[in-house]
């Protein structure tokens, strides 16, 4: 009682200092004495994930296209079949992953597995997978040159590129990938077959999309949406000049191709560290 009120701050500081010394013996660095008090009151601990809890190595896990869900690679206990180039919609997702991207291999004179990819972690995961399946991957950029690009930004949340990739109705193809909900809103049709066959979006497709998106996201995976547009040759000839300022590029009515999910595997020991904490 004699300590109150003048001696109270000194007493509290002494107690916190004793606690800080105990923590220091447990390899905890206390920069601020008030932090000792805060630590004792914690009910929720939030931590950075990418590169801290996880390895920062994005790996492609699932595809959903043409109404089917596929596993990216064979694994024990897999619920679905493994994606191949024979599955309708899968080649389209792989071409969008490979061409609508800014990630690149550091070299081309060694096998793909030994190469380092320079670029964003998500694009790296997609490129690593696409390069393993697509034939003649190293020549894709030469065979289908990019003539226009709108890079990903935090406002649009999608990345668009236009390539000289001919189809039945013209010489140019538009690819777009990004946040699924943003890409979905730009689409009026959905891919249903192997040769660009598509139908108008209906409530049934919206429900299937919502269920799949929720299923992928609920497993802690990062999910991306993919779309394309086979540009009509009468409106967009091969020498058409696209301009960002004039916005003379298509901004909607795309064909929704599908979803892809990627996971960033946890580092070894993370489970035990969280349990101990």
């Amino acid at each position: 009682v004699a300590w109150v009120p003048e001696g109270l701050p000194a007493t509290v500081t002494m107690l916190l200092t004793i606690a800080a010394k105990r923590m220091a013996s447990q390899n905890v660095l206390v920069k601020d004495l008030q932090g000792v008090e805060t630590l004792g009151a914690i009910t929720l601990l939030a931590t950075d994930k990418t590169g801290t809890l996880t390895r920062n190595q994005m790996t492609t896990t699932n595809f959903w296209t043409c109404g089917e869900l596929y596993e990216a690679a064979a694994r024990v206990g897999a619920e679905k079949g493994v994606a191949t180039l024979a599955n309708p919609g899968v080649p389209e997702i792989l071409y969008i992953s490979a061409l609508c991207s800014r990630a690149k291999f550091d070299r081309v004179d060694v096998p793909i597995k030994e190469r380092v990819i320079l670029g964003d972690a998500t694009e790296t995961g997609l490129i690593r997978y696409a390069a393993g399946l697509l034939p003649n991957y190293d020549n894709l950029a030469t065979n289908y040159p990019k003539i226009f690009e709108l890079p990903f930004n935090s406002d649009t949340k999608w990345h668009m590129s236009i390539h000289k990739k001919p189809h039945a109705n013209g010489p140019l193809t538009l690819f777009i990938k990004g946040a699924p909900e943003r890409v979905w809103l730009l689409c009026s049709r959905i891919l249903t077959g192997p040769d660009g066959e598509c139908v108008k979006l209906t409530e049934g497709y919206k429900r299937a999309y919502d269920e799949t998106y929720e299923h992928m996201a609920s497993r802690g995976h990062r999910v991306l949406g993919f779309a394309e547009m086979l540009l009509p040759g009468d409106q967009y000839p091969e020498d058409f000049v696209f301009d960002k300022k004039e916005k003379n590029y298509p901004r909607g009515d795309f064909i929704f191709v599908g979803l892809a999910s990627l996971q960033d595997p946890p580092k070894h020991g993370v489970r035990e560290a969280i349990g101990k904490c």
Side-chain angles (χ1 to χ4, degrees):
V1 175
W3 278 94
V4 179
E6 294 86 352
L8 201 58
T11 309
V12 170
T13 303
M14 281 163 57
L15 291 171
L16 292 178
T17 305
I18 292 167
K21 283 190 74 173
R22 283 187 192 154
M23 291 167 71
S25 68
Q26 299 288 322
N27 295 326
V28 177
L29 176 64
V30 179
K31 292 183 176 180
D32 179 2
L33 282 180
Q34 288 178 331
V36 180
E37 187 183 355
T38 307
L39 277 171
I42 282 177
T43 54
L44 173 72
L45 180 63
T47 172
D48 197 16
K49 179 177 72 71
T50 306
T52 304
L53 298 180
T54 63
R55 299 177 206 169
N56 198 19
Q57 295 172 356
M58 281 286 180
T59 310
T60 308
T61 49
N62 290 97
F63 295 113
W64 178 72
T65 180
C66 296
E68 293 291 332
L69 185 64
Y70 301 102
E71 298 270 350
R75 64 182 180 88
V76 178
E79 302 164 16
K80 304 290 178 183
V82 179
T84 67
L85 291 175
N87 301 128
V90 172
E92 282 84 349
I93 289 182
L94 296 179
Y95 276 117
I96 297 171
S97 300
L99 296 169
C100 182
S101 174
R102 294 196 140 192
K104 288 184 170 59
F105 285 119
D106 62 336
R107 54 196 294 189
V108 294
D109 57 341
V110 294
I112 285 171
K113 286 183 180 178
E114 296 173 22
R115 300 180 192 176
V116 174
I117 301 177
L118 312 172
D120 168 75
T122 305
E123 288 191 339
T124 297
L126 290 169
I127 287 238
R128 179 80 62 194
Y129 185 79
L133 280 187
L134 288 175
N136 203 10
Y137 178 86
D138 289 333
N139 293 322
L140 282 184
T142 309
N143 295 339
Y144 307 120
K146 188 186 295 181
I147 59 169
F148 181 73
E149 182 177 36
L150 290 174
F152 180 91
N153 68 62
S154 54
D155 292 329
T156 61
K157 291 194 163 86
W158 46 254
H159 178 184
M160 176 198 289
S161 63
I162 297 173
H163 299 261
K164 286 185 179 178
K165 188 173 186 295
H167 50 87
N169 297 322
L172 304 179
T173 304
L174 178 150
F175 294 135
I176 185 167
K177 78 175 192 315
E181 64 278 6
R182 295 292 185 92
V183 174
W184 180 268
L185 289 175
L186 298 173
C187 298
S188 61
R189 294 162 291 164
I190 188 166
L191 191 73
T192 55
D195 300 313
E197 298 152 25
C198 56
V199 295
K200 280 195 175 299
L201 288 176
T202 62
E203 200 55 43
Y205 287 117
K206 177 73 169 82
R207 276 197 302 275
Y209 157 84
D210 285 339
E211 285 172 14
T212 309
Y213 187 5
E214 199 172 313
H215 169 69
M216 288 174 163
S218 68
R219 297 165 67 193
H221 294 182
R222 180 172 292 179
V223 188
L224 288 179
F226 297 79
E228 66 178 7
M229 186 177 192
L230 308 177
L231 300 179
D234 52 351
Q235 282 181 263
Y236 301 100
E238 192 169 349
D239 57 356
F240 189 89
V241 179
F242 294 94
D243 192 297
K244 290 180 185 177
K245 288 183 180 175
E246 291 182 21
K247 295 188 175 178
N248 60 349
Y249 49 84
R251 283 176 283 167
D253 199 29
F254 301 141
I255 300 168
F256 190 81
V257 174
L259 298 169
S261 69
L262 301 99
Q263 72 170 352
D264 192 357
K267 285 181 178 174
H268 295 300
V270 161
R271 185 190 293 268
E272 293 79 9
I274 291 174
K276 195 173 179 183
C277 189

